[in-house]
């Protein structure tokens, strides 16, 4: 028999999160529970003290002690209420902070998968808004114990005054129980819908903010606003449903609770006429009837818990996304030989890479080219284990990347991206990101190699300039990203379209340094320009998710289909001159490329015979 957590992994993770979060603030939750129960106890003692004081006053007997007792209970209730408010705020803040730290670390540990599945805007909504709502759970549970103690204590107090009073109340109690159960169920469903709509709005807003320049340039502000706010009607319906649920519950409570209270008071009055109760006991019974029918407090507590559980489930969905697991096998000394063996990767139900085999010897440069959507960036992500293949293995110096420890892997592989994210307080810190002890000299040398040193020095505080205060173009950002990769070092350097925003002169200088005596040992770069591919030792041509051919750029350039990748030549229909030897398609036969070259790259000098750009 399967458990509920097995049937619904998100719900199981949500329960685990809330249990762990409660233990994290366990001592404060226990204190809050004790304070709340103490306040409930003082509230239960007050009607009895008032009734006793009233009886003594009516009998003209000394009542000073009981009046002082009543005053003391009132002061105690005020003090306990203040302490309860402080503890509730403290527990909520601590739990929310813990949930945000836990989920942030988990999201970063999953890599790009979480952002791909949920979207950055929705993730932010979950880690900010939903974490805050879920963070109220421990305090709400502690307060719920006291909220339940009030009605239970009220019923017990009625029974102590006279068992008929308790019997009359209990006759109508099942109606209240059904009412509370319906409130909890309906509120939870409505809160889930409300939070999902909030997530969709946040995701659309993040996309709009990221593309604000495109929106302004296209003059589509109104259309984009409408797109962002498209889920607003769903949000409104879910919000109105929550209010209707709680409104109906309050209306039913208003209808049921006074009837029960009136019944208790009527029975107490009848017992008073028979001499079984005193006037003070009738007063106490009326107050205990109010406490026993405290549905309003319970409805509020249960509704808050339902919203918190719905928020926790959305956090559980993120927590259910598996974190990347690392091995313990050490990376041996080596030149950085990269191997892809039968690598298959799927995204969105589509096979992007299908059985890719590549062998990149250490110290060589492989340029990966192909049309848009051919899987170039995914291959670059797999090569450094920013993503895992669905089948096959990626090896570095003979060790599968899955078996490497985190520090070994990240120390061996450096990355540069088309749109680098510069993280850190200053430019120098951003360039030294990931280095255990980055030296200023190493960072400046890497910046010089990436032709970024000059414009960084022109900033107000040079390398100590805050990243937020350093205006830069797309090309300058790419140069800083390259500098960070060069400073990182390692035996494998992966450039995922990291030269696309550079002008041709700057690109040529950087490629000369990169492919000459530049940093890095083995280099894998996603190339969109023929001139960049021509500098590589070999080119892997991706087509339809497979390696169409591997060879030197000038050799592949003879094919019109290859030239069409760069927007040159006649295109796929033009097969070129009949005397040009074809490049074999590695998808069939023995998988060999031109001149018998397999998908293994042989070190060679940079191309430059004038036959290709």
């Amino acid at each position: 028999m399967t458990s509920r957590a097995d049937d619904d992994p998100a719900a199981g993770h949500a329960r685990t999160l809330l249990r762990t979060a409660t233990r994290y603030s366990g001592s404060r939750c226990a204190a809050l529970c004790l304070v709340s129960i103490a306040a409930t106890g003082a509230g239960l003692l007050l009607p009895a003290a008032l009734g006793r004081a009233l009886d003594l006053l009516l009998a003209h007997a000394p009542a000073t002690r009981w009046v002082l007792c009543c005053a003391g209970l009132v002061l105690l209730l005020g003090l306990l209420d203040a302490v309860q408010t402080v503890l509730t705020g403290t527990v909520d803040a601590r739990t929310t902070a813990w949930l945000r730290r836990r989920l942030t670390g988990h999201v970063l540990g999953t890599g790009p998968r979480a952002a791909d599945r949920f979207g950055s805007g929705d993730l932010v909504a979950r880690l900010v808004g939903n974490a805050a709502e879920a963070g109220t759970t421990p305090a709400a549970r502690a307060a719920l114990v006291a909220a339940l103690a009030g009605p239970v204590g009220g019923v017990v107090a009625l029974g102590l005054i006279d068992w008929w009073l308790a019997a009359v109340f209990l006759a109508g109690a099942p109606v209240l129980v059904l009412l509370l159960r319906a409130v909890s169920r309906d509120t939870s469903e409505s809160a889930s819908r409300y939070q999902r709509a909030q997530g969709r709005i946040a995701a659309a807003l993040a996309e709009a903010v990221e593309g604000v320049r495109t929106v302004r340039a296209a003059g589509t502000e109104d259309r984009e606003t409408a797109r962002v706010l498209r889920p607003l009607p769903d949000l409104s319906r879910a919000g109105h449903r929550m209010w209707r649920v709680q409104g109906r519950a309050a209306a039913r409570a208003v209808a049921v609770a006074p009837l029960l209270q009136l019944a208790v008071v009527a029975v107490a009055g009848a017992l008073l006429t028979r001499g079984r109760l005193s006037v003070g006991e009738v007063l106490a019974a009326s107050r205990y009837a109010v406490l026993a029918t405290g549905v309003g407090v319970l409805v509020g507590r249960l509704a808050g818990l339902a919203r918190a559980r719905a928020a926790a489930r959305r956090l559980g969905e993120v927590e259910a996304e598996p974190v990347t697991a690392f091995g313990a096998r050490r990376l041996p000394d080596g030149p950085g030989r990269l191997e892809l063996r039968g690598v298959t990767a799927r995204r969105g139900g589509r096979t992007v890479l299908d059985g890719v085999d590549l062998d990149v010897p250490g110290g060589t440069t492989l340029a990966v080219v192909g049309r848009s959507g051919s899987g170039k960036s995914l291959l670059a992500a797999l090569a450094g284990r920013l993503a895992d293949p669905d089948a096959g293995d990626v090896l570095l110096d003979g060790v599968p990347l899955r078996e490497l420890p985190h520090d070994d892997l990240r120390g061996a592989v450096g990355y540069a991206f088309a749109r680098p994210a510069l993280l850190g307080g200053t430019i120098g810190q951003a360039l030294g990101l990931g280095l255990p002890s980055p030296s200023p000299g190493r960072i400046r040398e890497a910046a010089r190699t990436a032709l970024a040193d000059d414009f960084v020095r022109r900033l107000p505080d040079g390398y100590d300039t805050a990243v937020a205060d350093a205006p830069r173009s797309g090309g300058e950002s790419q140069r800083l990203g390259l500098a960070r990769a060069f400073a990182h070092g390692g035996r494998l350097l992966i450039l995922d379209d990291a030269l696309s925003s550079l002008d041709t002169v700057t690109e040529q200088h950087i490629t000369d340094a990169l492919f000459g005596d530049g940093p890095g040992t083995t280099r894998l770069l996603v190339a969109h320009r023929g001139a960049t591919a021509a500098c590589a030792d070999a080119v892997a041509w991706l087509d339809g998710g497979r390696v169409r051919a591997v060879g030197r750029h000038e050799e592949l350039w003879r094919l019109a289909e290859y030239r069409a990748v760069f927007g040159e030549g006649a295109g796929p229909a033009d097969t070129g001159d009949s005397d040009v030897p074809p490049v074999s398609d590695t998808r069939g036969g023995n998988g060999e490329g031109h001149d018998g070259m397999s998908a293994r790259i042989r070190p060679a000098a940079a191309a430059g015979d004038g036959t290709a750009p």
Side-chain angles (χ1 to χ4, degrees):
M1 181 176 179
T2 59
S3 64
R4 289 183 299 169
D6 294 331
D7 296 336
D8 188 352
H13 281 283
R15 288 191 290 271
T16 302
L17 270 177
L18 293 179
R19 281 197 300 267
T20 310
T22 302
R23 286 196 298 269
Y24 175 72
S25 297
S27 59
R28 288 176 171 81
C29 287
L32 176 59
C33 188
L34 291 175
V35 169
S36 300
I37 291 175
T40 301
L44 289 170
L45 289 174
L46 184 58
L50 286 171
R52 181 59 178 164
L54 178 60
D55 284 340
L56 291 174
L57 289 172
L58 290 175
H60 302 288
T64 305
R65 187 177 61 176
W66 287 100
V67 171
L68 290 176
C69 179
C70 292
L73 287 172
V74 170
L75 289 175
L76 180 61
L77 282 170
L79 177 62
L80 291 174
D81 183 66
V83 174
Q84 186 177 359
T85 300
V86 172
L87 283 174
T88 299
T90 302
V91 171
D92 288 351
R94 280 175 55 86
T95 307
T96 300
W98 183 86
L99 286 171
R100 286 173 177 164
R101 284 196 300 270
R102 167 82 172 250
L103 268 295
T104 299
H106 187 86
V107 168
L108 296 177
T110 61
R113 288 196 309 273
D116 291 342
R117 178 183 172 186
F118 301 106
S120 57
D122 189 26
L123 275 178
V124 170
R126 291 172 192 251
L127 269 67
V128 176
N130 295 149
E133 280 195 288
T136 64
T137 304
R141 285 175 173 172
L144 183 62
V145 173
L148 288 170
V152 172
V155 174
V156 172
L158 288 174
L160 291 175
I161 295 172
D162 193 287
W163 68 271
W164 273 104
L165 302 178
V168 169
F169 180 85
L170 291 175
V175 179
L176 295 178
V177 173
L178 293 175
L179 172 63
L180 294 174
R181 183 178 179 184
V183 168
S184 178
R185 182 188 63 248
D186 295 343
T187 301
S188 180
E189 179 185 354
S190 303
S192 296
R193 293 180 181 177
Y194 188 87
Q195 291 163 4
R196 285 196 297 269
Q198 279 183 319
R200 291 199 300 272
I201 291 176
L205 180 59
E207 294 172 1
V209 170
E210 185 176 359
V212 64
R213 289 185 297 179
T214 302
V215 174
R216 291 289 299 276
T220 57
E221 292 92 339
D222 293 340
R223 188 186 310 168
E224 193 64 16
T225 300
R227 184 185 72 85
V228 171
L229 298 179
R230 192 171 298 150
L232 202 56
D234 292 339
L235 187 76
S236 177
R237 283 192 293 270
H240 280 88
R241 176 172 171 76
M242 278 195 296
W243 286 115
R244 284 197 300 270
V245 167
Q246 295 185 44
R248 284 198 300 267
R252 291 167 183 167
V254 168
V256 174
L259 292 176
L260 286 176
Q261 294 168 15
L262 184 60
V264 170
V265 172
V267 172
L271 295 175
L272 174 64
T273 60
R274 296 180 182 180
R276 290 178 57 177
L277 295 182
S278 67
V279 175
E281 288 174 327
V282 173
L283 172 64
S286 66
R287 297 303 304 159
Y288 286 131
V290 172
L291 290 174
T293 55
V295 179
V297 175
L298 284 173
V299 166
R301 299 294 185 192
L302 289 174
L305 274 176
R307 291 193 297 270
R309 283 199 301 268
R313 192 184 185 286
R314 283 173 56 78
L315 299 182
E317 291 175 357
V318 178
E319 184 90 355
E321 194 70 21
V323 174
T324 301
F326 294 89
R329 185 174 173 183
R330 309 301 301 185
L331 186 63
D333 293 335
R337 178 182 177 183
L338 177 68
E339 301 172 76
L340 280 76
R341 298 178 179 173
V343 168
T344 297
R346 304 178 184 89
R347 292 295 182 271
R350 181 175 69 93
T351 300
V352 181
L353 295 175
D354 187 8
V356 171
D357 290 297
L358 281 175
D359 187 351
V360 188
T364 62
T365 301
L366 172 68
V368 180
V369 305
R371 294 180 179 273
S372 177
S374 59
K376 302 183 297 297
S377 290
L378 181 54
L379 188 147
L382 296 172
R385 211 191 171 198
L386 295 183
D388 285 325
D390 295 286
D393 283 308
V394 182
L395 297 88
L396 183 61
D397 284 323
V399 181
L401 298 187
R402 298 175 188 267
E403 299 180 13
L404 289 175
H406 175 272
D407 292 345
D408 280 19
L409 174 61
R410 293 300 159 224
V413 182
Y415 261 101
F417 303 97
R419 292 188 294 175
L422 298 176
L423 307 176
T426 66
I427 293 294
Q429 291 171 351
L431 298 188
L433 184 71
L435 295 177
S437 56
S439 66
R442 180 176 179 178
I443 290 174
R444 290 189 175 92
E445 180 61 31
R448 281 192 289 271
T449 303
L451 300 184
D453 183 64
D454 286 342
F455 80 80
V456 171
R457 287 181 178 275
R458 290 195 297 269
L459 294 172
D461 297 311
Y463 286 88
D464 293 326
T465 303
V467 173
D469 298 333
R472 55 198 179 272
S473 65
E476 289 171 338
S477 292
Q478 278 201 343
R479 278 185 273 169
L480 290 174
L482 287 164
R484 180 173 60 197
F486 295 162
H488 178 277
R491 64 184 73 183
L492 174 62
L493 179 61
I494 300 173
L495 308 182
D496 184 4
D497 200 19
L499 308 175
S500 59
S501 295
L502 304 180
D503 60 84
T504 53
V505 175
T506 301
E507 181 182 0
Q508 186 60 51
H509 284 304
I510 291 177
T511 52
D512 288 344
L514 183 63
F515 302 142
D517 297 327
T521 304
T522 305
R523 293 165 286 269
L524 177 74
L525 68 134
V526 174
H528 289 81
R529 296 176 182 172
T532 306
C535 295
D537 296 321
V539 176
W541 174 15
L542 289 183
D543 183 25
R546 298 185 179 181
V547 179
R548 173 75 175 269
V550 176
R552 295 291 296 270
H553 175 71
E554 65 269 23
E555 298 167 340
L556 298 175
W557 191 260
R558 302 176 187 179
L559 290 178
E561 289 177 304
Y562 180 79
R563 295 196 301 272
V565 171
F566 303 97
E568 303 285 347
D574 185 358
T575 59
D577 298 330
S578 59
D579 59 346
V580 176
V583 178
S584 300
D585 190 332
T586 63
R587 291 175 291 183
N590 59 9
E592 294 186 347
H594 181 60
D595 292 338
M597 177 181 285
S598 70
R600 174 182 172 85
I601 302 165
R602 297 176 298 191
D609 60 1
T611 61

